Structure formats: structure tokens, C-alpha cells
Amino acid sequence: MHSRFEPDRQLTARMLVTLFLLGLLYVAFVGALLVLLKSTLVVVVVAAAVLVSQYWFSDRIALYAMHGRVVTREEQPQLHGIVDRLCATADMPRPQVAVSDTDLPNAFATGRNADHAVLCVTTGLMRRLEPDELEGVLAHELSHVAHRDVAVITVASFLGVIAGLIVRFAFYSQMYGGRGRRDQNTMVVLLGVMAVSAAVYSISFLLIRALSRYRELAADRAGALLTGHPSALASALTKLDGDIARIPSKDLRTASAFNAFYFIPAFGKGDSLSRLFNTHPTLEQRLDGLAKISAELGRPA
């Protein structure tokens, strides 16, 4: 890592282990599909196309899904000013700045590397936070880019997407592939594909969430140390955690698919079961971590 964000060797090790395990899972998944579907060309083309598209176009896909758009310095001078200062302090390339017009208070970073990164902030977040709190959130998001964990999460998540696509392809190809193929063997193949895909999705789901929870703590620490004001980030976390509960549940369900990328998860207070497999550590864990940083810096939490 060439920026001034504090490096995190544990995060790097966890990312390498996660990618290695997902790589093994991917090889096993493709091998099983080749045996079940008996169509090498289709399996390889679909797998490669999804991987390439997610890696190279992840920023565009995320912005489109969140209805975000890149904004100029004239449109959002305060936002650009904060990003400029943080990037100068961190000695890292400046990402594109985007805004999503939604009341959901959140932010996320995406892109395959620091030179092709996009930092997106919602209008709901900007309305709720003070300048120092917003700076803390943006420093947190920029640390994801500097640590390269945004790219890792993007690549890691594609395996579950492939599993879902393969199930749909197998279902429709077997159902509408002609009467001669609608026999008992066809049903066995279809059930086999679904079983393999479900197993792959479940394992990748757990691996990604285990990595995601740690990377949030690492980003909290790196962002707080860069700004020197962990209390501002703690204040933003506390404020947003309370405000998320007041967002309509329909909007939260729509946004929850992107929780792994968000600054704070789109969960309400009643989602205790969902938190068992959350992409983020609890608010208490994050505040405890920031309090420790405050003690290290000799500042009040």
C-alpha cells in the first residue's frame, strides 16, 4: 500500500486467505458444472464473462444500482473539498465523486483499484452529518480503496452471482430445450446443478461476511488515524445507526443487497436475526475500537 493510511497486515492476510478459499471453491464449482451440464463452452464463457464484467465495470454497476451520478466540483464544492484534503493527506489518487439522491444515509466506495475508484455519498448522509463527521465517513471509505479490500469484495462476490445465473440457465435450458430432454436424467442434472450452486453460494456468503466484518473495523481505525478525530467518526456512526431505523423498511430491503459496500448496514433495529450474518460488526464493537484509538491519541472519545 503506497498511501499514508495505516497498513493492516491482518486485513491483508484475511483477504489473501479468503481469495484463496474462494478460488478453490470456484475451481470445484466449475468442475462440478462441467460434469453435470456437459457443456464446457457455456460454463467457461459464463464464468469468465461475469468475472470480467464485475471486475472492470463494478463502479458503473454499483452507481447504476444506487442511482448515483458523478458530480462536478461546482455542483458539490464541500464534498469535493473534503475529498481533496483527505487524498492529499493520505497521498493517494483522487477518486471520482458521486452522489445518490436518496434519503438513506450512507456512503460507499467501489472500483477495481485506486486509479479507477468512485466514492459515492447519498444526499441523506450529507443532510444529517456535520462537516467533521462527514470527513470521518469519507476517510473510512477512502481507506477501503487504499487497503484494496473494495476490489477483493467485488471479485469475491461474483461467485454467488455465477451460482445464481447457472441455476437459472440450467432451469430454462432443461425446461425449454425440447421434449427429448425432459426425462428423469434431466431432472437429476437440474437438481444436481441447484444443489452445487446452493452449496457454493452458502460457503461464499459466509466467507465474504467474515472478511467484511473485519475490513470495517480496519477502515474505522485507518480513517480515524488519518483524520486524528476518532470521536467524529464515532458521532457519525451513532447518529446514522439511529436514523437508519427511521427509514421505511421497503427502502431498507431494497438497499440491503449492497450492505457489504456500505459504510453502515441498511438494517433496522428489529433485524436481530439478520445481524447474525451481518456484513458489519455491531455498533458497540465499532465504538469500542474508536474509543481505544482515542486513548492512543490521547484525546477524549
Side-chain angles (χ1 to χ4, degrees):
M1 185 176 63
H2 301 294
S3 74
R4 291 175 185 159
F5 276 104
E6 182 183 79
D8 192 310
R9 291 184 177 85
Q10 289 191 44
L11 176 62
T12 301
R14 288 167 187 255
M15 289 192 295
L16 291 174
V17 170
T18 299
L19 286 177
F20 176 73
L21 293 176
L22 286 171
L24 291 180
L25 190 62
Y26 176 61
V27 172
F29 181 48
V30 172
L33 290 179
L34 290 175
V35 173
L36 291 170
L37 295 180
K38 296 185 172 86
S39 178
T40 304
L41 180 61
V42 170
V43 173
V44 172
V45 168
V46 170
V50 174
L51 175 59
V52 170
S53 64
Q54 280 207 275
Y55 182 74
W56 287 95
F57 304 110
S58 60
D59 53 345
R60 300 180 191 178
I61 294 172
L63 282 182
Y64 176 79
M66 280 299 298
H67 307 290
R69 65 180 182 88
V70 175
V71 293
T72 64
R73 194 178 302 275
E74 289 72 24
E75 291 177 290
Q76 290 290 340
Q78 182 189 34
L79 189 59
H80 275 270
I82 295 175
V83 172
D84 286 343
R85 291 195 302 274
L86 289 173
C87 289
T89 303
D91 191 23
M92 66 180 292
R94 186 180 180 281
Q96 287 187 298
V97 178
V99 170
S100 173
D101 188 14
T102 174
D103 191 48
L104 180 68
N106 235 316
F108 65 92
T110 184
R112 61 184 183 272
N113 54 43
D115 293 320
H116 299 86
V118 178
L119 182 59
C120 184
V121 180
T122 68
T123 52
L125 183 82
M126 291 188 289
R127 282 197 300 269
R128 288 170 170 84
L129 298 186
E130 298 297 325
D132 61 331
E133 295 171 335
L134 181 58
E135 181 182 61
V137 172
L138 296 181
H140 169 105
E141 291 302 323
L142 287 172
S143 75
H144 282 314
V145 177
H147 287 154
R148 300 184 179 92
D149 57 80
V150 167
V152 172
I153 286 291
T154 299
V155 173
S157 65
F158 93 98
L159 196 57
V161 175
I162 288 181
L165 288 176
I166 291 296
V167 168
R168 292 181 184 180
F169 168 79
F171 180 79
Y172 288 114
S173 64
Q174 300 295 348
M175 289 296 293
Y176 303 106
R179 291 182 180 179
R181 301 175 64 187
R182 297 178 192 173
D183 53 19
Q184 188 174 3
N185 291 334
T186 296
M187 185 58 64
V188 170
V189 170
L190 178 60
L191 292 176
V193 170
M194 288 185 170
V196 170
S197 299
V200 167
Y201 179 82
S202 299
I203 296 172
S204 62
F205 177 93
L206 295 175
L207 287 173
I208 291 170
R209 273 149 184 77
L211 173 62
S212 182
R213 287 191 293 272
Y214 184 84
R215 83 182 189 116
E216 291 303 324
L217 293 175
D220 283 348
R221 177 176 180 81
L225 288 175
L226 182 75
T227 62
H229 296 285
S231 59
L233 182 56
S235 175
L237 280 168
T238 304
K239 184 181 294 185
L240 296 180
D241 186 72
D243 284 349
I244 284 287
R246 290 190 282 271
I247 300 297
S249 58
K250 178 182 178 181
D251 295 338
L252 295 181
R253 286 194 298 270
T254 301
S256 63
F258 295 90
N259 274 338
F261 293 92
Y262 280 149
F263 169 69
I264 189 168
F267 284 137
K269 291 292 184 182
D271 297 308
S272 57
L273 182 61
S274 299
R275 291 180 185 273
L276 294 175
F277 302 101
N278 205 352
T279 53
H280 292 60
T282 64
L283 175 64
E284 291 73 20
Q285 288 176 307
R286 298 178 77 174
L287 294 181
D288 286 346
L290 291 171
K292 291 177 182 177
I293 299 172
S294 294
E296 291 176 16
L297 297 174
R299 297 187 177 185

